[in-house]
Amino acid sequence: MKISNYEVCEGVKLTVIQTDKFKTDELSVSFAVPLKKETVVLDHLVPEVLSHSCKDYPTQLEFNIAAERLYAADLEGYASNHGEVQLINFRLNTINESFAFDEKELFSKALGLFSKMIYEPLLDSDGFFDKEIVEKKKKDLCDAVRARKNNKTRFASSRAVELLCEGEDYAASVLSSTEAVECVTAKDLKARYDEVLNSSPVYIYFVGALEGEKVLAKVKEILPFTPRTAEKLVTEVKYEAGEFRRITERMNIVQSKLCLGFRSGMTLAQDCYHNFVLFLELFGGSPVSKLFVNVREKMSLCYYCSPIGDNTKGIMIVSSGIDGKNREKAEKAILQQLEAVKQGDISDDEFESAKKSAVGALLEVNDDQSALARWYRGRALVSNKETLESFTEKILKASKEDVVNAAKGVSLEMVYFLTGEEERA
Amino acid sequence: MENFTLKENARIGEKYYYLKHKSGLDIYVVPKKHLSSYAIIGTRYGASDRSFKTEKDEDFLTVPDGVAHFLEHKLFESEDGEDTFARFARVGGNANAFTGSNQTCYLFSTTENFNENLEILLDFVQSPHFTEENVAKEQGIIGEEIKMYEDDPNWRVHFNMLEGLYLNNPAKVNVCGTVETISKITPEILYRCYNTFYNLNNMVLCVCGDVDAETVVSVADRVLKPAEKVSIIRHSEEEPEGINQAFVSEEGEVAMPIYNIGFKEKVLSDPSELLKYKAEMEILMRMMFSKSSEFYNDSYESGLITPWFSAWSNAGRDASYSVISGSAPNPEEIFEAVKAEIRKRRESFFDLDSFERAKRCIYAETLTDFNSTSSVANAMVGFALNGNDFFDFADAVSAVSVDDLKKRLAESFEPERAVLSVVVPFSAE
């Protein structure tokens, strides 16, 4: 595996991870903008509209057929965020040409269609996006916002994030209202598109069999990037919990959801972030972690109980599905396990298992095309030059004290409880 | 390597080694130069195996729903009290398991100590330890798992559809069972199920990674206890050709209705027929309902369907059905439109271009499965448990002709054997 970094033009970075272990080639282009309540809806809609069709293939049917002809080239557009950096992503995945029956220059052709998707959208006579498509995508996004509650586990943890970060830009990462979507116009969207395309910093990742220089040449030839001044995007990190809050909400459900919201203050931007990764593993990341072994296996309180976090924002949510009557017991048990780590109550076995698990997970990133790009992109966004190898080394060298110190940085700010039960007297 | 059968597929650049191990176990090894290696062992035993005996048993045993899944959880318990996950973790393995209607599988992935991990996998599936106490403990955990699924409308709508399709076929059994049925599970029941189905002759192992086949077999030689071949007799009540109920509706905490449209299909037990069926259905489903189909695009443009739309077919040992699922305001209209589309395509079939494209897409998807050790091994075991070979799938797809598809379409998706299952938002109180 060989990693090469290039600058396509000012503000447009390309990283090529060359490896022949995959059957497919994958290229992703991410435009980075600040995550803001005012623009987040536009940033979600732009890639949706673009990946619907393009000028040369004006209907979704024609566009999808064109992609299928290239051995089912997978072309998609979607929004995601790392902390308070909003990404507008476009991804292309196509089989490596050596596996095609007849096609020559398969990657270049697929990249051509990919370029049309981003740069040659279907516009109306006013130069705006096609109104019908925009309305469709607005409706789909409203549906998705409303459908958030269909998946109770995800709803509860995203609701916890939204409440924990209320008043911060980060809260906008959870789309919870349809109002802002409904008032978007085709004109607003086109203006946002122009702004993003021409002035946002761009991160391009290629993972596949092609050589770095070749990928660079193809990107330069086919994708018409223009120079831009890359402003540094920052995420506001809180290192300590704010005033404690307890929030209970009701829904017509059988299983209650308990989510504990913490500030960890630990992010990818820090040199010691690996200690936090190890802490997460030990605390709740695997079937030998403290939460799994104690809260699930010993106390039989739940089927799942594990922490999720945003490694750019420095927050952690421990999420669990429990019987409503066990709320206090479960909350206490989770906090007890955290306290145990803080007190250094870690056996050698637990520590070594957590280390092995964390290292194994990192090595496995090497075997997953999309995960590889994501791993490096997350770090590039905070100007972290770490490699998978150097990060793995750091984990191997970490001590119990390092994990205890990482745990000590974690503080509880909020308990969110979603339940089907009536208010107790 | 004289004992191994080597099979190569030059088109996709992959090969595997196969060995019928002396213990009775089928072993497949797919070499792949990844940093992580993956192993999975599966048994032909799942939620559908409700009533059974071996040729040595006098009577059939009928078990409470959810036993196969319960057993999967409990097999991780060991006699010396050491948790199996912890054993794996000590040598760097990350273990997991899953249960379906016809199979239960145990797996691990690791980036080090492959042999030690494989040894643990093969050892723990041969070492059941069920006690009153550990059964009682699991009832709490699985009880929460069941409640989690009760709140999951996609799970509800799917099992309601199966209820609509089948009167007696155990394919409709909820994999986890219910809080009530799992309360009836005892160590004795678990042992009887275990002793019947966890016989190495009824199991398949697949390893994928930077591992050589001889090493795998040497671990197997060391750990596996030869199993006497048993024949398993499964009992199920006669299932009529027709369906149980054409419409099933339930209220749930959903934003807009979600639906499963199910077609009851003929069951094929012959492996080669099953493989052909899978290949044909995959092509048909793609031509009719994929994002590059006319149906999808017309229905999306008209607002009938939303992007939450998918179609797949399931072909198992004792049940076979096709599903169109999604979320949209008027599932009844979609039900009618789907049936109309089938009638239309029976009369005027697709053009050759969509046929060729569909085949090409399935080729690309099958190829992409080989990016990941877990995808390859899971597919290998899934196919092998049905008496098939995943490596034959791409060829089976390319062998399908337009006439095959026309014939298949005429026999499948029968409107008379269709069910609409919906979960709709709670009505305003």
Side-chain angles (χ1 to χ4, degrees):
Chain A
M1 190 174 294
K2 189 178 166 213
I3 302 182
S4 323
N5 291 296
Y6 304 96
E7 193 173 64
V8 177
C9 57
E10 196 188 345
V12 180
K13 289 179 178 151
L14 166 68
T15 300
V16 175
I17 303 173
Q18 190 198 355
T19 163
D20 58 4
K21 66 204 280 185
F22 303 114
K23 305 284 182 192
T24 50
D25 295 319
E26 180 160 301
L27 182 118
S28 64
V29 171
S30 303
F31 295 86
V33 297
L35 172 65
K36 295 275 180 207
K37 195 169 71 194
E38 297 73 25
T39 44
V40 67
V41 162
L42 297 171
D43 296 338
H44 274 260
L45 285 170
V46 164
E48 290 296 334
V49 169
L50 294 178
S51 57
H52 180 91
S53 56
C54 64
K55 193 175 80 195
D56 287 356
Y57 303 102
T59 67
Q60 182 174 241
L61 181 62
E62 289 165 295
F63 183 72
N64 288 345
I65 288 177
E68 276 196 354
R69 288 197 199 289
L70 300 166
Y71 287 85
D74 193 2
L75 292 136
E76 61 169 355
Y78 62 98
S80 65
N81 70 295
H82 286 259
E84 284 155 9
V85 179
Q86 177 72 49
L87 296 179
I88 296 162
N89 309 291
F90 300 94
R91 194 182 67 94
L92 163 69
N93 188 295
T94 181
I95 68 165
N96 186 273
E97 197 175 299
S98 58
F99 298 105
F101 304 113
D102 43 15
E103 206 75 49
K104 290 270 174 301
E105 293 291 314
L106 183 60
F107 185 70
S108 297
K109 285 178 188 163
L111 198 58
L113 186 60
F114 184 68
S115 178
K116 283 181 199 291
M117 169 172 84
I118 305 172
Y119 283 100
E120 297 170 37
L122 178 66
L123 300 176
D124 65 13
S125 52
D126 299 324
F128 303 142
F129 289 131
D130 181 271
K131 285 193 183 57
E132 253 178 67
I133 297 174
V134 170
E135 289 309 312
K136 267 273 180 237
K137 298 298 163 185
K138 280 167 62 181
K139 192 189 147 291
D140 291 347
L141 188 56
C142 287
D143 285 346
V145 169
R146 289 191 206 101
R148 207 181 133 209
K149 68 173 178 181
N150 289 10
N151 184 326
K152 278 60 180 177
T153 305
R154 263 211 310 265
F155 173 83
S157 43
S158 71
R159 180 79 182 128
V161 166
E162 190 183 5
L163 291 166
L164 178 67
C165 299
E166 209 168 12
E168 297 168 57
D169 285 334
Y170 192 74
S173 66
V174 181
L175 295 186
S176 56
S177 147
T178 54
E179 272 167 52
V181 182
E182 274 151 10
C183 53
V184 169
T185 66
K187 188 180 168 186
D188 297 339
L189 264 189
K190 180 61 170 39
R192 181 63 177 170
Y193 164 80
D194 289 333
E195 185 189 347
V196 169
L197 241 67
N198 297 321
S199 57
S200 311
V202 182
Y203 297 84
I204 310 173
Y205 283 84
F206 174 88
V207 186
L210 296 176
E211 279 168 28
E213 294 291 334
K214 256 192 196 146
V215 177
L216 177 67
K218 281 186 200 287
V219 166
K220 279 187 169 170
E221 178 198 330
I222 299 170
L223 295 168
F225 288 111
T226 50
R228 67 243 10 246
T229 22
E231 54 165 324
K232 178 124 170 82
L233 300 171
V234 287
T235 295
E236 186 203 348
V237 176
K238 291 194 174 167
Y239 295 90
E240 294 208 5
E243 200 182 331
F244 177 75
R245 288 166 288 158
R246 183 178 292 283
I247 299 165
T248 299
E249 292 184 322
R250 258 150 261 282
M251 194 188 255
N252 201 333
I253 47 176
V254 181
Q255 184 181 66
S256 298
K257 306 290 183 189
L258 177 67
C259 297
L260 276 58
F262 299 86
R263 302 281 178 179
S264 71
M266 302 292 277
T267 72
L268 290 179
Q270 293 163 336
D271 266 348
C272 57
Y273 181 70
H274 59 282
N275 295 329
F276 187 69
V277 169
L278 200 47
F279 157 75
L280 277 179
E281 200 64 57
L282 184 102
F283 178 50
S286 78
V288 288
S289 65
K290 289 207 175 273
L291 290 179
F292 191 96
V293 167
N294 294 290
V295 185
R296 171 177 147 141
E297 293 294 312
K298 288 205 181 126
M299 301 176 79
S300 293
L301 284 173
C302 56
Y303 172 64
Y304 70 92
C305 179
S306 55
I308 47 165
D310 181 310
N311 56 21
T312 312
K313 178 66 181 168
I315 57 169
M316 174 177 89
I317 307 284
V318 173
S319 160
S320 178
I322 57 168
D323 188 325
K325 69 175 192 294
N326 290 330
R327 186 193 61 77
E328 277 166 51
K329 218 189 204 174
E331 182 180 325
K332 213 172 128 197
I334 293 167
L335 293 173
Q336 240 166 22
Q337 294 311 315
L338 176 61
E339 196 50 39
V341 186
K342 287 186 181 180
Q343 296 298 326
D345 175 11
I346 305 166
S347 73
D348 290 345
D349 232 24
E350 275 176 320
F351 186 66
E352 287 310 315
S353 293
K355 226 177 207 188
K356 279 186 184 298
S357 181
V359 168
L362 281 165
L363 291 174
E364 283 193 21
V365 171
N366 287 287
D367 295 340
D368 181 331
Q369 211 165 23
S370 305
L372 261 173
R374 263 201 314 276
W375 198 90
Y376 280 102
R377 192 178 62 197
R379 276 150 185 86
L381 287 169
V382 292
S383 311
N384 178 329
K385 299 249 188 308
E386 202 99 56
T387 63
L388 269 166
E389 291 72 29
S390 65
F391 194 74
T392 306
E393 275 307 306
K394 283 164 93 173
I395 289 204
L396 283 170
K397 284 192 192 128
S399 67
K400 277 189 199 172
E401 289 66 41
D402 293 330
V403 172
V404 170
N405 285 333
K408 283 182 177 160
V410 174
S411 51
L412 179 68
E413 179 165 326
M414 189 195 67
V415 175
Y416 174 70
F417 187 52
L418 180 69
T419 180
E421 292 183 7
E422 290 308 311
E423 192 95 49
R424 276 179 296 176
Chain B
M1 303 273 263
E2 68 244 47
N3 297 327
F4 293 99
T5 310
L6 169 66
K7 183 153 171 170
E8 282 192 272
N9 187 323
R11 160 63 46 208
I12 55 175
E14 297 285 334
K15 64 180 174 191
Y16 71 69
Y17 297 94
Y18 166 77
L19 177 83
K20 177 82 182 172
H21 190 252
K22 60 190 177 202
S23 62
L25 183 68
D26 285 316
I27 299 178
Y28 293 86
V29 180
V30 188
K32 184 162 277 293
K33 294 258 179 240
H34 276 204
L35 294 183
S36 61
S37 302
Y38 182 93
I40 174 167
I41 185 165
T43 167
R44 293 177 185 89
Y45 172 51
S48 287
D49 297 304
R50 206 154 44 163
S51 188
F52 56 83
K53 63 173 198 160
T54 66
E55 80 266 33
K56 288 180 186 149
D57 299 319
E58 284 204 356
D59 299 318
F60 280 97
L61 174 70
T62 302
V63 298
D65 289 350
V67 170
H69 170 256
F70 202 96
L71 204 167
E72 172 228 297
H73 274 235
K74 275 343 293 168
L75 209 50
F76 281 86
E77 204 94 33
S78 64
E79 199 173 349
D80 61 9
E82 195 191 17
D83 181 67
T84 302
F85 287 117
R87 281 175 79 190
F88 275 111
R90 193 168 307 125
V91 288
N94 189 354
N96 211 338
F98 60 87
T99 305
S101 292
N102 298 134
Q103 50 183 265
T104 311
C105 296
Y106 302 83
L107 58 97
F108 72 83
S109 70
T110 188
T111 53
E112 56 175 337
N113 304 319
F114 178 81
N115 293 355
E116 287 82 350
N117 278 289
L118 182 62
E119 192 165 327
I120 296 169
L121 178 72
L122 299 182
D123 175 54
F124 98 86
V125 298
Q126 290 186 102
S127 319
H129 178 65
F130 311 131
T131 63
E132 298 284 348
E133 196 192 346
N134 72 32
V135 166
K137 187 198 83 180
E138 207 65 28
Q139 279 157 349
I141 298 171
I142 296 181
E144 285 310 319
E145 186 178 4
I146 290 168
K147 286 195 237 161
M148 180 179 82
Y149 286 124
E150 271 180 55
D151 284 331
D152 178 351
N154 290 309
W155 179 271
R156 300 288 313 156
V157 80
H158 185 67
F159 280 97
N160 286 348
M161 177 206 75
L162 294 175
E163 276 292 339
L165 285 179
Y166 298 110
L167 275 94
N168 304 318
N169 193 317
K172 67 179 181 178
V173 170
N174 196 319
V175 174
C176 299
T178 66
V179 172
E180 208 242 316
T181 61
I182 64 165
S183 73
K184 294 181 187 143
I185 294 174
T186 61
E188 292 70 38
I189 294 177
L190 292 175
Y191 275 114
R192 171 99 181 252
C193 293
Y194 178 84
N195 289 326
T196 305
F197 294 103
Y198 284 70
N199 180 301
L200 294 174
N201 292 287
N202 191 39
M203 299 173 82
V204 177
L205 169 73
C206 181
V207 170
C208 183
D210 195 2
V211 178
D212 72 65
E214 271 152 351
T215 312
V216 171
V217 172
S218 72
V219 174
D221 285 346
R222 203 162 61 236
V223 187
L224 296 179
K225 302 161 208 152
E228 195 185 329
K229 205 165 179 169
V230 289
S231 55
I232 298 163
I233 306 148
R234 295 171 166 93
H235 170 74
S236 55
E237 283 176 56
E238 191 72 19
E239 174 69 26
E241 211 173 272
I243 55 165
N244 179 20
Q245 219 181 323
F247 180 69
V248 192
S249 176
E250 181 180 304
E251 292 188 346
E253 192 69 73
V254 290
M256 78 162 86
I258 62 169
Y259 59 90
N260 264 204
I261 295 167
F263 291 90
K264 188 172 183 173
E265 309 290 6
K266 231 179 260 148
V267 179
L268 300 166
S269 45
D270 176 66
S272 63
E273 274 184 58
L274 193 62
L275 185 68
K276 188 167 183 291
Y277 175 86
K278 272 187 191 205
E280 290 171 1
M281 286 304 261
E282 190 110 352
I283 301 173
L284 268 180
M285 287 298 227
R286 186 167 263 285
M287 290 167 78
M288 282 197 288
F289 302 118
S290 78
K291 300 220 158 160
S292 59
S293 68
E294 276 171 37
F295 179 86
Y296 177 89
N297 285 279
D298 293 347
S299 307
Y300 176 72
E301 307 261 305
S302 73
L304 182 63
I305 63 166
T306 66
W308 295 274
F309 181 85
S310 56
W312 77 95
S313 81
N314 181 306
R317 191 171 61 219
D318 46 23
S320 183
Y321 51 87
S322 312
V323 186
I324 289 103
S325 71
S327 174
N330 294 305
E332 286 88 350
E333 281 179 36
I334 299 172
F335 192 33
E336 293 312 315
V338 164
K339 288 190 278 190
E341 171 69 7
I342 287 154
R343 279 193 297 274
K344 175 180 145 191
R345 294 303 177 182
R346 280 177 177 171
E347 276 163 28
S348 71
F349 198 69
F350 298 88
D351 58 26
L352 206 58
D353 182 61
S354 22
F355 170 68
E356 293 298 342
R357 259 192 296 120
K359 277 183 156 186
R360 192 172 271 222
C361 288
I362 297 166
Y363 166 73
E365 272 166 18
T366 309
L367 183 71
T368 305
D369 281 337
F370 282 90
N371 274 350
S372 136
T373 52
S374 58
S375 308
V376 177
N378 290 350
M380 289 291 291
V381 165
F383 274 69
L385 289 173
N386 276 327
N388 274 308
D389 183 346
F390 179 53
F391 270 52
D392 292 340
F393 187 64
D395 291 340
V397 169
S398 85
V400 172
S401 70
V402 171
D403 284 341
D404 291 333
L405 291 183
K406 285 182 178 165
K407 192 160 167 272
R408 183 65 65 197
L409 184 58
E411 291 168 358
S412 314
F413 303 102
E414 195 46 63
E416 294 297 305
R417 293 196 289 274
V419 170
L420 172 65
S421 162
V422 291
V423 173
V424 297
F426 286 111
S427 44
E429 279 156 26

